[in-house]
Structure formats: C-alpha cells, structure tokens
Amino acid sequence: MYNKNSLKAEEFINHEEILDTLAYADKNKDNLELIDSIIEKAKLRKGLSHREASVLLACENPQKITEIYDLAEQIKKDFYGNRIVIFAPLYLSNYCVNGCVYCPYHLKNKHIARKKLTQEEVKKEVIALQDMGHKRLAIEAGEDPQMNPIEYILECINTIYSIKHKNGAIRRVNVNIAATTVENYRKLKDAGIGTYILFQETYHKQSYEALHPTGPKHNYAYHTEAMDRAMEGGIDDVGLGVLFGLELYRYEFAGLLMHAEHLEAVHGVGPHTISVPRLKRADDIDPDTFDNGISDEIFAKLCALIRISVPYTGMIISTRESKEVREKVIRLGVSQISGASKTSVGGYCEPEPEDENSEQFDVSDKRTLDEVVRWLMQMDYIPSFCTACYREGRTGDRFMSLCKSGQIQNCCHPNALMTLKEYLMDYASKETKAIGEELIKAELNNIPKEKVRQICADHLEKIENGIRDFRF
C-alpha cells in the first residue's frame, strides 16, 4: 500500500501505486471533464497529486496541452517572475567505485582520464569562475570513499569560500555528491552549503538495480532515502531529479512527484529544486543504446507539468540541453540554468587536453557566460546571481512560506537586479552592459512596493560606490 509518510523507500515510492496511476491515467486520458477539473485545480496554485498530474501527462488533446503550457507559464511568472538564477558546476574528482552503466565514470572504464583537483587547483578553477562573474557553484564528485572522502569535500568547500579575487566571491556552494550518512550531512550543513542535490536516476527499483550493478550505489533504498537523512542532518533545502531516458518517462514522472509528496508529508517542506537532465552522449556511453529516450516535445510537456504540479519548487536545466530547448522550457517553468559549464575535472582555468578528457557528458550549450546573460536579457529575463536567501537563513519552510504567500518576490526581484548590476559593472561586455542597464531601469519601476523599490535603488547606488556584499 502507498504510504507517503513512511521513511522506507519502497513504501513512499510504491511500485504498484505507480502502475495503478499509469493505468488510471490511460483510462482517463480522453476524459475531458476530469482533465478540465484537474486544470482548474492547478489554477489554484496549490499543486497536483501524482495521479492528477499523470492524467494530464497522458492527455494528447492539443487544446488541453496548450492550456497546460499557458498555465505553466503563468504560474512560473506568479512565483518566480522573470528571474533566472545562474550557476556553474565544478567537478572536483571523477574517481568512482560504482558500476553505473550510463556514466563514463564507472569503475570499469579504464581509458577515461581520472583526475582529482588539489586545493591549489580548486583555487585556480574558482578564480576562473569568479572572473566570469559566477557567484553560485554546484560541486560534483564521483563516489570513492578512499579518493573522495567527506573530509576532502569539506576541505574543498572551505577553500571555495575562502577565495576573494578582485570583486569576485563564491557566495553559495550547492553540493551534488553520493548518498551518505546523517553525520556527514550534518558536516555539510555546518560547512555552509546551500542545497544538497541527488538525482534518483530512476525510481523503478528493478531497473535501478540493473543500471547500478556494482558499488554502493546499487543499494536502492539507501540512495532513495538519502533526502530523509539529509533533512535529519539539518539540510532543509534538497534537490531531486531523474535522468530521463533510463526508464519510461511516465513512470519516472509519477515517482518524482511521489517523492516530493513524501518530503512534504514527513518534513513539512518539499524539494527546493527539481532537475530535469536527459541522458547524453559521453566517452564510452552511447545514449542510443537506451530505448527510453524522449523527444523535445515530451520534454517540454514534462517541464510544464512539473511546474504546475509543484508550483513553489525551483526547476533546473543544465547545458546538457541546447540553446533552443532551454529557451522553450525556461518559459514553461525552469527557474535556474547553468552557464559556460565544464563537465570535466578542471577546464575552467585552462582547456583540458584532448588526450586527458574527463567529461561526464557532452555539453550542448557551449556559449560564454556573457553570451548567456545577454541572451536572457534579450528575452526580457533578469539573470540573477543572488544567494541572499541562503545567507539570511531563508531556507526550507521559511523560504517556502514566503514563496507560497508571494512575499518572496519582495526579496528576489530587487536582489536579482542588484546582482545583475554587479555583473554588469565587473564582467560584462560593452554590448551586454548597455542592454542590462536599460533592463534594470525598466525593472526598477516594476517593483510593486514603494519601500522595497527604494531599498533596491539605495543598494544599486551602494554597488556603484563599491559596496557589494549585501544581504537584502
């Protein structure tokens, strides 16, 4: 029986419940009366259950799909405005003891270059990222207790936060490392991380075990229950995600929403972010050998339905996707994107030699950060480098309560403008700066509350006078 309050993975991600959900969705995919009622419920901005959302995913009626897309776009505007948060991944090490068949870091791959950054190399990479204008990183590392122990991760976090270069500083480090213990999650929390991110890869237990034949990641329950341990360890911002292409997308979608429901039921706060990566080509991995790939159209539909199903949750898309795909799904719900990413261990400071390739996957969007920032602004989005909520303790249920009430806009909109102003002054090209200055002027007038608008204007003046480390 499905029990979202249980801490056991196979109860809150119940296989039979997912199969029943998919059967229910198939039965009702043409039930326009039910579909209309679900869409009406979604308009209340309170979210949808995994069953309700699955019915909409199964629906193939063009008019209803258009309604879903329009609603997703409006909900995105209601909760996140026109802000797009910018970040970059930093790969620390690709040593890994797991046998994941979809990842080139798997243990049996003997020809990929194995690397691990020293603290001096971490410094060089961070300075290179700061020189681009980045303020927020997501650190990544393979699972290897000997090469990448928690002490190494903590040392790297400390190094990253310690580096002040010109006007640059990394203000928040999010962490994407393997499932670990409550004690280690407490250590990460004490180190000042932002969000702990862990992709489930697939919620289908049998497929999960086949795709992870060896190594500690083979343990489905330990991996799936990681977010509960993270929250027990004090990390109240966690990020979910599946790797679309490994299993049937409808199964994954239902499992993802069930996981979100579980976190909300047990911990009082759902996921801070949901990522939507798709399987991509990499070293010895050919995505065509997996038969569950999804089209760009299905991918867009998934993004739209995630947005209306969990309206308060941030959505992340990486440079795995092309400029064209990212442009489409940003409109439908994505609120965070990476820019100028490297998926190799090293490569920001200086290009990685071809014979030392250590990439985890091929990057589709290879533009510079300046080009990404300018592109966003040309579409009337505000590129945001803000990390104020993390630094002011607006995390977990504190963030969600502000988000659900709409009050978070009073913080996020001004902070987005202020961090954009920093970027324009310190890093932008002449063309990007000109576009950005006009955007800031126009957006300043759009801040609804006069007091907030004045605070923002005061801070913008402080930035011009060299005062940068604000926490509004």
Side-chain angles (χ1 to χ4, degrees), residues 39 42-43 56-57 59 61-77 295-308 328-333:
I39 292 174
K43 290 178 180 178
L56 298 186
L57 183 57
C59 173
N61 183 296
Q63 180 182 341
K64 298 307 171 187
I65 292 174
T66 297
E67 289 181 32
I68 290 167
Y69 283 12
D70 290 345
L71 179 58
E73 183 175 4
Q74 188 57 53
I75 289 176
K76 158 76 183 302
K77 290 177 181 176
S295 66
D296 290 349
E297 290 73 22
I298 291 296
F299 184 64
K301 191 176 181 183
L302 285 165
C303 291
L305 285 169
I306 290 171
R307 170 50 59 221
I308 71 173
K328 183 172 185 176
V329 297
I330 284 173
R331 179 177 66 84
L332 297 175

Side-chain angles (χ1 to χ4, degrees), residues 102 243 278-282 285 287 320-322 361-362 364:
Y102 53 84
L243 184 53
R278 281 194 288 182
L279 188 65
K280 293 291 181 178
R281 186 175 302 279
I285 305 300
R320 285 175 183 262
E321 300 296 341
S322 67
F361 58 85
D362 290 350
S364 297

Side-chain angles (χ1 to χ4, degrees), residues 135-152:
K135 306 293 184 188
R136 179 192 300 229
L137 300 184
I139 59 173
E140 321 257 355
E143 184 171 12
D144 189 322
Q146 297 300 317
M147 296 299 292
N148 313 325
I150 192 67
E151 290 75 20
Y152 171 69

Side-chain angles (χ1 to χ4, degrees), residues 294-350:
I294 57 175
S295 66
D296 290 349
E297 290 73 22
I298 291 296
F299 184 64
K301 191 176 181 183
L302 285 165
C303 291
L305 285 169
I306 290 171
R307 170 50 59 221
I308 71 173
S309 301
V310 278
Y312 325 115
T313 296
M315 286 180 62
I316 300 175
I317 192 168
S318 75
T319 51
R320 285 175 183 262
E321 300 296 341
S322 67
K323 169 183 174 289
E324 292 72 24
V325 170
R326 301 218 293 174
E327 188 166 313
K328 183 172 185 176
V329 297
I330 284 173
R331 179 177 66 84
L332 297 175
V334 166
S335 57
Q336 297 187 27
I337 68 170
S338 52
S341 302
K342 301 291 183 183
T343 69
S344 54
V345 181
Y348 288 113
C349 180
E350 55 186 42

Side-chain angles (χ1 to χ4, degrees), residues 90 97 119 136 146-147 149 164 204 207 216 224 232 248 265 269 272 334 336 341 351 388 395 420 438 448 460 467:
L90 174 59
V97 299
Q119 296 309 304
R136 179 192 300 229
Q146 297 300 317
M147 296 299 292
K164 313 299 178 188
H204 192 288
S207 295
T224 311
E232 184 181 344
L248 297 174
V269 58
H272 187 68
V334 166
Q336 297 187 27
S341 302
T395 59
L420 175 59
E438 289 302 314
L460 287 170
I467 301 173

